[in-house]
Amino acid sequence: MSIEIANESGVDVDTDAVLAVARHALDEMGVNPLAELSVLLVDIEYMSELNHRWMGGDGPTDVLAFPMDEGSVDHGPGESNPAGGEPALLGDIVLCPEVAAKQAAVAGHSAADELHLLTVHGVLHLLGYDHAEPEEEREMFGLQARLLASWRSTRSR
């Protein structure tokens, strides 16, 4: 699994943990081990610009996911690989640590925990999950909670 991470946020982040939770989520979801993912951590100003440009939102958001060609994603052994074994480009996850820290304070957990949650959230979006409808939200957030719990249990061993 190739995961590239770039921290351009100006905030000190444990990028190894972000990589580890992303890799765990992808492994647990049965994503092709040749898949490629990019994670970018940005400041509030750049996240605001991305949110406005791509989502029509005002101000910064916590996470954005930019999937590549959905047809190239191998969701697991039950599907054939149309790319013929070539690495699947999943896409990009963009995180804003400053927004994550504010949300973490409100939620009562650490900024690191919030970044881990947002990373899994972004991975699920890249895999086609959404939370626009109540049923979709229940499925996605339930899966997100299970992935985070299983990742935390592997770290505490």
Side-chain angles (χ1 to χ4, degrees):
M1 189 86 49
S2 173
I3 304 174
E4 298 292 324
I5 189 162
N7 185 357
E8 299 175 6
S9 70
V11 175
D12 188 29
V13 171
D14 181 354
T15 54
D16 289 343
V18 172
L19 287 172
V21 74
R23 180 168 279 114
H24 177 81
L26 292 168
D27 287 346
E28 290 294 308
M29 295 301 293
V31 172
N32 184 326
L34 298 176
E36 296 178 8
L37 170 68
S38 170
V39 180
L40 178 63
L41 296 108
V42 300
D43 62 20
I44 284 181
E45 184 180 331
Y46 191 60
M47 183 59 103
S48 297
E49 182 182 317
L50 289 175
N51 189 33
H52 178 73
R53 183 183 324 151
W54 297 104
M55 304 303 291
D58 287 328
T61 189
D62 49 6
V63 59
L64 290 170
F66 298 99
M68 293 296 172
D69 178 24
E70 290 184 24
S72 72
V73 175
D74 180 0
H75 292 280
E79 289 186 10
S80 63
N81 186 352
E86 292 296 312
L89 296 173
L90 293 177
D92 303 315
I93 297 171
V94 183
L95 302 167
C96 186
E98 292 169 277
V99 173
K102 291 175 185 173
Q103 290 177 177
V106 171
H109 55 242
S110 73
D113 284 344
E114 187 72 11
L115 279 173
H116 304 155
L117 180 150
L118 294 172
T119 301
V120 171
H121 190 86
V123 165
L124 291 175
H125 273 308
L126 292 181
L127 296 178
Y129 289 87
D130 199 4
H131 48 84
E133 300 295 326
E135 187 174 315
E136 293 173 334
E137 183 177 337
R138 276 191 300 278
E139 179 184 11
M140 183 175 178
F141 284 55
L143 184 53
Q144 178 178 292
R146 286 192 301 278
L147 290 168
L148 282 167
S150 67
W151 180 68
R152 289 182 182 128
S153 73
T154 64
R155 287 177 55 107
S156 62
R157 288 182 201 157

